[in-house]
Amino acid sequence: MRKILITLGIVILFVIAILATWIFEGRQVSLLVDRFVTIEMTSARIHSITYNGRGTGGTLRVNDLELSLNDRNDPAPSIGTTKNDQLAVADQGKVFALGPVRSEDENLATAPPPGDDAFIEIRRSVLSWPTPFEINFMTGHSPSWKRHLYYRLLWKKPAGEKLEMLWRYEQYFYSDNGWASGFMTYKGSTGLIQLDISP
């Protein structure tokens, strides 16, 4: 009988430890799992891309999706035009030309040239994490769960050049409305988190 009680006590302590980790460190656990696997929600070919800004910062509108370049983490790309009038993204001395520039309401815009393979996909975390102690004093309406959303832009040229940009945001779940359609930033860890230009 004593062995059963000890085993039961160990199991209960283990379950409590798991729940405490999920509640207090769920965000970090979710980020760890996201390094290996995320779930695709949608994927679409890019038909247009528009930049609204002054060379750094601002926003990129990809089809109908607006993505911020203002949340400064590690990548801080420059966006502008090349000598041959192409809209381009530059980072760490590398430049990726998106396509011939056209002006739209004082913004710079382009579309993928023939032969380019460009798409945007939205993925989400496998694990959501509970937020039982979060309180919103302004509205009194706090999310009960959170998860990460990932926006991945991948643009490939026929000659092999490739641009990959990755944004991460937090999405909130409200018990009365479900998952919010918008996304939120979390200081220092969301926004544009990865930018690769190769070769």
Side-chain angles (χ1 to χ4, degrees):
M1 183 68 167
R2 186 176 176 189
K3 285 184 178 180
I4 293 173
L5 290 175
I6 290 172
T7 304
L8 183 61
I10 291 171
V11 169
I12 289 171
L13 286 175
F14 180 74
V15 169
I16 290 171
I18 293 291
L19 289 175
T21 301
W22 195 18
I23 290 171
F24 295 106
E25 295 297 326
R27 185 176 186 281
Q28 297 305 318
V29 173
S30 179
L31 284 173
L32 179 64
V33 173
D34 289 351
R35 289 183 182 183
F36 303 101
V37 63
T38 54
I39 297 170
E40 183 177 311
M41 297 173 69
T42 62
S43 181
R45 295 194 69 80
I46 295 174
H47 303 293
S48 66
I49 188 164
T50 305
Y51 174 64
N52 179 9
R54 297 182 176 179
T56 57
T59 58
L60 273 182
R61 179 175 288 278
V62 181
N63 296 340
D64 292 326
L65 181 65
E66 194 160 303
L67 298 167
S68 175
L69 298 171
N70 295 320
D71 304 309
R72 298 298 173 89
N73 295 305
D74 187 24
S78 298
I79 300 180
T81 57
T82 63
K83 292 177 184 176
N84 58 349
D85 214 24
Q86 300 265 318
L87 180 60
V89 177
D91 185 56
Q92 298 181 359
K94 296 181 178 179
V95 177
F96 186 90
L98 300 171
V101 72
R102 63 178 193 263
S103 294
E104 286 186 0
D105 300 327
E106 299 182 7
N107 298 326
L108 299 174
T110 192
D116 284 19
D117 187 18
F119 66 91
I120 183 86
E121 66 178 9
I122 303 173
R123 304 183 72 87
R124 68 169 176 84
S125 297
V126 173
L127 292 178
S128 305
W129 64 94
T131 57
F133 305 116
E134 189 163 309
I135 298 170
N136 185 330
F137 291 105
M138 294 186 72
T139 65
H141 194 60
S142 300
S144 54
W145 292 85
K146 293 181 181 180
R147 69 183 179 192
H148 289 112
L149 288 182
Y150 294 89
Y151 296 83
R152 179 175 175 249
L153 180 150
L154 185 61
W155 197 306
K156 296 178 184 177
K157 296 283 185 184
E161 302 98 327
K162 184 170 79 168
L163 169 68
E164 185 173 2
M165 300 176 79
L166 183 67
W167 287 261
R168 178 174 61 217
Y169 295 101
E170 286 187 356
Q171 186 181 30
Y172 294 176
F173 179 85
Y174 296 95
S175 55
D176 54 348
N177 293 325
W179 290 104
S181 58
F183 47 74
M184 303 297 288
T185 58
Y186 185 87
K187 188 176 181 181
S189 65
T190 57
L192 181 63
I193 59 169
Q194 180 184 337
L195 190 158
D196 294 310
I197 297 173
S198 60

